[in-house]
Amino acid sequence: IGTHTCLLLIEKGYKVNVIDSFVNSSPKALERIKKICERDKNFSNSNLNIFNGDLRNKDFIRNVFSKIEKNQQSIDGVIHFAGLKAVAESIKKPLLYWENNVLGTINLLNIMEEFDCNTLVFSSSASIYAQKGKELLKENSELKPTHPYGNSKFSIELILKDIFEGSKIERKFASLRYFNPIGAHSSGLLGENPIGTPNNIFPLIINTACGIQRELKIYGDDWPTNDGTPIRDYIHVMDLAEAHINVLENITNHKSIFVNLNIGTGKGTSVLKLINIFEKVNNIKVPYVFAKRRPGDVCHVVADNTFMNTKFKIIPKMSIEDMCRDGWKWRKLNPNGY
């Protein structure tokens, strides 16, 4: 998500400074951004600076901000993507998630305050919502995460709220509650390439389609849905990237604002239907078997995106078919990843 957003920011003329520990990503992905942008004669390598480090290291963050300011660049805002995101892993290793996600964010916020940087777009998650049947989730729906990953995201939202409400200066905070981003850049040069065993459904579908694993496990065939499999709101990663920039520009024009925002399509698709669409669009089989439900899984997670549509004029453009087509194109062109 961060890589695709970086690409759009640079294409729109922004100077982008990236902090990444590369624990679950590759520096080569950022080189691909340059490759795509080089088609634009206005592109300059100086528009993308990369700092390899970890948000758990407060001194490192301070040094990054200092270097940027010494180069006579003011930091107008931060888009905060960094964090671990595997539900099952968070249940097994909760301290790891509190340390990376929450402590890392506290360090970032402290250094932002030192450098008078008060604009932040934060990557939150739909997993913070309480799950109640098949109703669409609104920004004011009950919040009740069911696992450490969701707890870490919810805690960060509370921290941002406390800072905003207790502040005497102008602050511009937005918390984007992602639903299920999938797909890839249409060029096939950027895509999802998790290190190790993937945890999310889409890279697992792709790995099964290309034979890396023999079959895909669907966790539960007895959910209260039409085909017995869980329903999610899938959004194309490029629509999600566009949403970040839209929100960043919108809150920048406010004097002071704190907003929570669902980022989804408002349409639910079952796991089985997603597999069927992937097979049809790409003319390939994805063998699957059913397994027991996993701890932390829920049945129905779909956004009410009315606020996103009306307040921010964000309308997702890409279909499930586009997501499946672009995601498979990425893997076919990059069988070994980056």
Side-chain angles (χ1 to χ4, degrees):
I1 300 166
T3 310
H4 288 76
T5 305
C6 279
L7 172 63
L8 290 184
L9 285 166
I10 293 168
E11 288 181 340
K12 291 176 183 288
Y14 286 90
K15 290 184 180 293
V16 178
N17 297 280
V18 175
I19 292 176
D20 202 325
S21 64
F22 299 109
V23 296
N24 192 29
S25 59
S26 170
K28 293 178 182 177
L30 296 169
E31 293 300 319
R32 295 285 184 91
I33 291 176
K34 294 179 181 180
K35 187 174 181 179
I36 295 170
C37 289
E38 280 167 359
R39 297 175 301 188
D40 182 353
K41 294 179 181 177
N42 295 321
F43 172 72
S44 167
N45 281 328
S46 64
N47 288 346
L48 178 62
N49 297 307
I50 302 161
F51 300 90
N52 185 349
D54 198 305
L55 293 187
R56 290 174 294 178
N57 184 337
K58 195 172 178 180
D59 290 336
F60 162 74
I61 307 170
R62 183 181 289 110
N63 288 336
V64 169
F65 274 64
S66 295
K67 287 178 182 177
I68 293 169
E69 291 213 340
K70 284 177 182 177
N71 289 332
Q72 297 180 328
Q73 296 180 34
S74 61
I75 302 172
D76 298 315
V78 174
I79 303 179
H80 177 25
F81 301 101
L84 302 178
K85 63 181 181 65
V87 170
E89 182 185 52
S90 79
I91 294 170
K92 294 176 182 176
K93 302 176 180 179
L95 279 176
L96 184 67
Y97 276 67
W98 284 94
E99 183 184 18
N100 276 273
N101 296 0
V102 181
L103 176 60
T105 300
I106 291 171
N107 287 342
L108 174 64
L109 289 167
N110 273 314
I111 301 304
M112 287 177 64
E113 191 163 86
E114 282 185 27
F115 286 82
D116 297 318
C117 179
N118 301 307
T119 300
L120 176 74
V121 177
F122 168 62
S123 300
S124 190
S125 168
S127 68
I128 69 173
Y129 286 113
Q131 308 303 325
K132 294 182 177 179
K134 298 181 180 180
E135 64 188 50
L136 297 181
L137 296 167
K138 301 180 180 181
E139 283 83 1
N140 61 358
S141 294
E142 182 185 359
L143 303 179
K144 191 178 181 182
T146 59
H147 41 70
Y149 165 67
N151 287 334
S152 72
K153 291 293 186 179
F154 183 33
S155 299
I156 293 167
E157 285 203 6
L158 291 176
I159 291 168
L160 295 177
K161 183 173 181 286
D162 286 346
I163 293 171
F164 182 81
E165 291 182 349
S167 179
K168 296 180 180 179
I169 62 173
E170 289 184 6
R171 294 190 188 272
K172 303 164 186 185
F173 290 167
S175 181
L176 306 192
R177 295 171 179 170
Y178 301 170
F179 280 69
N180 287 74
I182 62 175
H185 191 265
S186 59
S187 67
L189 290 172
L190 291 180
E192 188 172 10
N193 184 44
I195 295 172
T197 303
N199 295 290
N200 296 339
I201 182 69
F202 199 68
L204 289 170
I205 289 174
I206 288 177
N207 280 358
T208 308
C210 63
I212 292 177
Q213 59 186 49
R214 186 176 64 183
E215 55 197 14
L216 175 71
K217 283 186 179 179
I218 300 176
Y219 295 99
D221 61 353
D222 56 349
W223 296 94
T225 62
N226 288 340
D227 60 21
T229 63
I231 289 175
R232 297 291 182 266
D233 183 339
Y234 297 101
I235 183 168
H236 198 292
V237 65
M238 293 306 296
D239 281 331
L240 180 58
E242 288 276 8
H244 282 84
I245 299 171
N246 179 301
V247 171
L248 176 66
E249 293 176 343
N250 188 295
I251 66 173
T252 299
N253 292 326
H254 281 77
K255 285 189 174 180
S256 198
I257 185 173
F258 176 61
V259 62
N260 298 311
L261 191 64
N262 285 342
I263 306 294
T265 64
K267 301 173 184 176
T269 304
S270 73
V271 170
L272 206 52
K273 186 175 181 181
L274 176 64
I275 294 169
N276 292 337
I277 292 172
F278 185 92
E279 289 180 327
K280 184 177 180 181
V281 166
N282 297 310
N283 192 29
I284 192 166
K285 293 300 291 180
V286 180
Y288 59 84
V289 295
F290 291 105
K292 292 181 180 179
R293 298 182 187 183
R294 297 174 298 183
D297 276 351
V298 293
C299 178
H300 189 273
V301 185
V302 180
D304 181 327
N305 62 4
T306 305
F307 187 43
M308 177 185 95
N309 295 158
T310 56
K311 168 68 175 176
F312 290 88
K313 310 301 180 189
I314 299 171
I315 311 292
K317 305 179 185 70
M318 312 289 257
S319 67
I320 289 281
E321 287 78 7
D322 294 325
M323 301 175 210
C324 291
R325 187 180 299 110
D326 290 342
W328 183 235
K329 180 180 179 180
W330 149 254
R331 175 45 65 93
K332 285 194 298 182
L333 292 176
N334 303 272
N336 300 313
Y338 286 110

